[in-house]
């Protein structure tokens, strides 16, 4: 009997994440995200810290694991709460969302999703996932920056003593565009993207969101061994690459990319009580979510970073007070997902044609 007969798919082991920021502690001890100008190798990937050291802005010896784009560059609109994936769309047309059910007062935790289920006459158990139309830019969760355009980049590192892929997650459109465009240019020129040693680089970029000049650090993918002639030579002599399979999908909350690690959305959904005023898109704690285009380098805005710390402390204090008043644990309930996340599409990531910009 073949392995396909029992429905097992080949998956590459995912070794861990390389982060684009760190979590800092406010005066009250609560954490908030802060962007860095270098890659962060945490306890998940200690071997990379030994290989590349501190303040690393370039990882060389990178190899793309598959010629199939969505096997190594997954793009989506995704919303996470503290307990995990809440809603995701791969094509900005259909989304898959978790039914959050009703709160203690009998009111829907997710009014938008509840209204859709009522209108369609669907009976979906709380904690289960269901499909609904994606409102894309018109979705209120997206407008509040609780749903984001997310890119997950998977790759081998030749120097690593471990076999498997590493991941960098980013909500920066510039970073996603840069990596996608470079990979497509190399593939169109050389006829392949696998088997070619590349470098992933973190480099400064001047941007002006809302007319305010800032320096952000964005990803890029480069072939640094030479020009076009050398690229063609390397591609011609590189070993053939068989279809290995996609990296294993781990849907932990990217806590360094979403406000308060998904806590803001969790508060809206009743997982955790909101503390004081609702967070807004001007909230520095949101602006400093790492990996996005709108964050300045922390040293350029110490006042905003201090404000982010104050907001994080206030949120933690408000959550604890509300929990005591309701007589429940301060960390709230963690709703387990009883259905796997949506499968990736067979074609290219949504909006991929928009990333190419001459």
């Amino acid at each position: 009997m073949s392995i396909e007969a029992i429905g097992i798919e080949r998956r590459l082991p995912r070794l861990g994440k390389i982060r684009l920021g760190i979590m800092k502690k406010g005066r009250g001890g609560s954490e908030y995200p802060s962007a860095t100008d270098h890659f962060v190798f945490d306890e998940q990937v200690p071997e990379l810290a030994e290989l590349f050291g501190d303040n690393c802005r370039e990882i060389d010896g990178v190899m793309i694991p598959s010629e199939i784009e969505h096997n190594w560059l997954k793009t989506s609109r995704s919303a996470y709460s503290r307990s995990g994936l809440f809603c995701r769309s791969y094509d900005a047309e259909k989304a898959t969302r978790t039914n959050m059910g009703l709160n203690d007062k009998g009111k829907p935790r997710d009014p938008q999703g509840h209204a859709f289920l009522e209108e369609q006459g669907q009976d979906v158990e709380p904690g289960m996932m269901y499909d609904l139309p994606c409102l894309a830019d018109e979705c209120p969760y997206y407008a509040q920056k609780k749903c984001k355009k997310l890119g997950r980049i998977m790759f081998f590192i030749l120097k690593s003593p471990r076999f498997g892929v590493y991941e960098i997650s980013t909500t920066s459109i510039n970073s996603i565009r840069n990596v996608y465009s470079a990979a497509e240019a190399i593939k169109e020129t050389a006829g392949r993207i696998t088997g070619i040693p590349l470098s992933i680089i973190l480099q400064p970029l001047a941007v002006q969101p809302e007319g305010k000049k800032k320096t952000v650090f964005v990803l890029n993918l480069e072939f640094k061994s030479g020009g076009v002639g050398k690229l063609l030579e390397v591609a011609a002599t590189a070993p053939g690459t068989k279809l290995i399979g996609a990296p294993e999908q781990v849907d932990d909350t990217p806590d360094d990319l979403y406000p308060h690690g998904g806590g803001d959305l969790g508060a809206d959904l009743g997982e955790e009580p909101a503390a004081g005023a609702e967070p807004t898109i001007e909230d520095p704690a949101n602006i400093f979510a790492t990996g996005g285009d709108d964050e300045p380098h922390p040293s350029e805005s110490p006042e905003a970073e201090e404000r982010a710390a104050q907001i994080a402390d206030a949120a933690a204090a408000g959550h604890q007070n509300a929990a005591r008043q309701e007589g429940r644990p301060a960390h709230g309930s963690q709703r387990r997902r009883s259905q796997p996340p949506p499968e990736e599409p067979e074609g290219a990531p949504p909006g991929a044609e928009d990333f190419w910009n001459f």
Side-chain angles (χ1 to χ4, degrees):
M1 181 174 67
S2 67
I3 197 71
E4 288 81 3
I6 57 175
I8 293 179
E9 297 179 353
R10 291 175 293 182
R11 293 288 186 184
L12 280 171
R14 173 183 171 275
L15 302 178
K17 281 189 175 183
I18 300 168
R19 300 184 183 275
L20 304 177
I22 59 175
M23 300 300 290
K24 291 187 175 182
K25 285 191 176 182
R27 292 176 180 174
S30 56
E31 293 186 329
Y32 65 97
S34 179
T36 60
D37 61 356
H38 58 272
F39 295 112
V40 177
F41 308 121
D42 60 17
E43 64 277 359
Q44 286 188 354
V45 290
E47 68 278 8
L48 299 186
E50 293 184 12
L51 287 171
F52 298 104
D54 298 329
N55 302 315
C56 169
R57 291 190 185 178
E58 179 176 340
I59 302 173
D60 60 351
V62 165
M63 276 196 179
I64 303 302
S66 175
E67 295 292 339
I68 300 176
E69 183 183 295
H70 68 257
N71 277 358
W72 66 271
L73 176 58
K74 301 178 186 293
T75 59
S76 64
R77 292 172 181 260
S78 295
Y80 288 86
S81 66
R82 284 198 186 278
S83 61
L85 180 66
F86 166 61
C87 190
R88 169 176 291 160
S89 175
Y90 284 110
D91 59 9
E93 293 182 0
K94 183 185 78 172
T96 301
R97 181 175 294 188
T98 302
N99 181 15
M100 302 305 296
L102 306 177
N103 61 21
D104 293 340
K105 297 180 179 180
K107 294 184 179 180
R109 299 176 187 270
D110 171 27
Q112 181 193 73
H114 181 79
F116 172 80
L117 292 176
E118 288 284 307
E119 179 184 339
Q120 298 296 314
Q122 295 187 33
D123 184 15
V124 178
E125 291 292 322
M128 299 294 287
M129 304 192 84
Y130 61 97
D131 293 337
L132 76 167
C134 175
L135 299 181
D137 291 357
E138 303 302 317
C139 178
Y141 293 117
Y142 180 78
Q144 297 167 17
K145 293 194 174 181
K146 293 166 186 174
C147 175
K148 295 188 175 187
K149 297 174 182 177
L150 177 66
R152 305 175 73 168
I153 306 162
M154 316 279 186
F155 50 89
F156 294 121
I157 297 179
L158 296 180
K159 296 179 182 178
S160 174
R162 303 167 65 194
F163 176 75
V165 295
Y166 296 91
E167 175 182 335
I168 295 178
S169 295
T170 178
T171 53
S172 164
I173 290 299
N174 280 328
S175 290
I176 298 170
R177 180 188 296 116
N178 288 349
V179 171
Y180 172 78
S181 298
E184 283 294 287
I186 292 169
K187 188 172 182 177
E188 288 295 319
T189 303
R192 63 186 302 170
I193 189 64
T194 57
I196 299 175
L198 305 169
S199 294
I200 285 187
I201 301 168
L202 196 59
Q203 57 191 27
L205 175 68
V207 296
Q208 289 186 304
E210 299 179 357
K212 300 177 182 178
K213 187 175 181 180
K214 298 177 182 178
T215 299
V216 298
F217 286 81
V218 298
L219 297 169
N220 215 334
L221 186 68
E222 293 187 14
F223 175 74
K224 303 192 74 174
S225 300
V228 173
K230 185 64 175 179
L231 173 61
L232 294 175
E233 178 185 332
V234 170
T237 57
T241 301
K242 296 182 178 180
L243 178 60
I244 302 174
E248 61 182 337
Q249 185 167 322
V250 179
D251 255 322
D252 52 336
T253 299
D255 54 6
D256 56 341
L257 299 178
Y258 288 77
H260 300 111
D264 285 3
L265 177 56
D268 287 354
L269 298 175
E271 288 184 338
E272 297 179 324
E278 291 228 351
T280 66
I281 59 174
E282 291 80 25
D283 183 340
N286 293 356
I287 294 173
F288 272 85
T290 62
D293 284 340
D294 295 337
E295 73 273 13
H297 186 278
S299 62
E300 294 178 356
S301 182
E303 297 84 0
E305 186 161 335
E306 174 62 21
R307 177 60 180 150
Q310 294 171 357
I311 291 170
D313 289 343
H319 169 48
Q320 291 169 0
N321 290 337
R324 284 193 292 269
Q325 292 172 5
E326 295 183 14
R328 56 177 176 76
H331 291 293
S333 60
Q334 297 291 309
R335 181 179 299 276
R336 294 181 60 85
R337 301 293 185 241
S338 53
Q339 183 168 318
E343 292 293 326
E344 299 95 311
E346 292 298 325
E353 63 278 2
D354 296 331
F355 293 163
W356 187 268
N357 186 355
F358 289 97

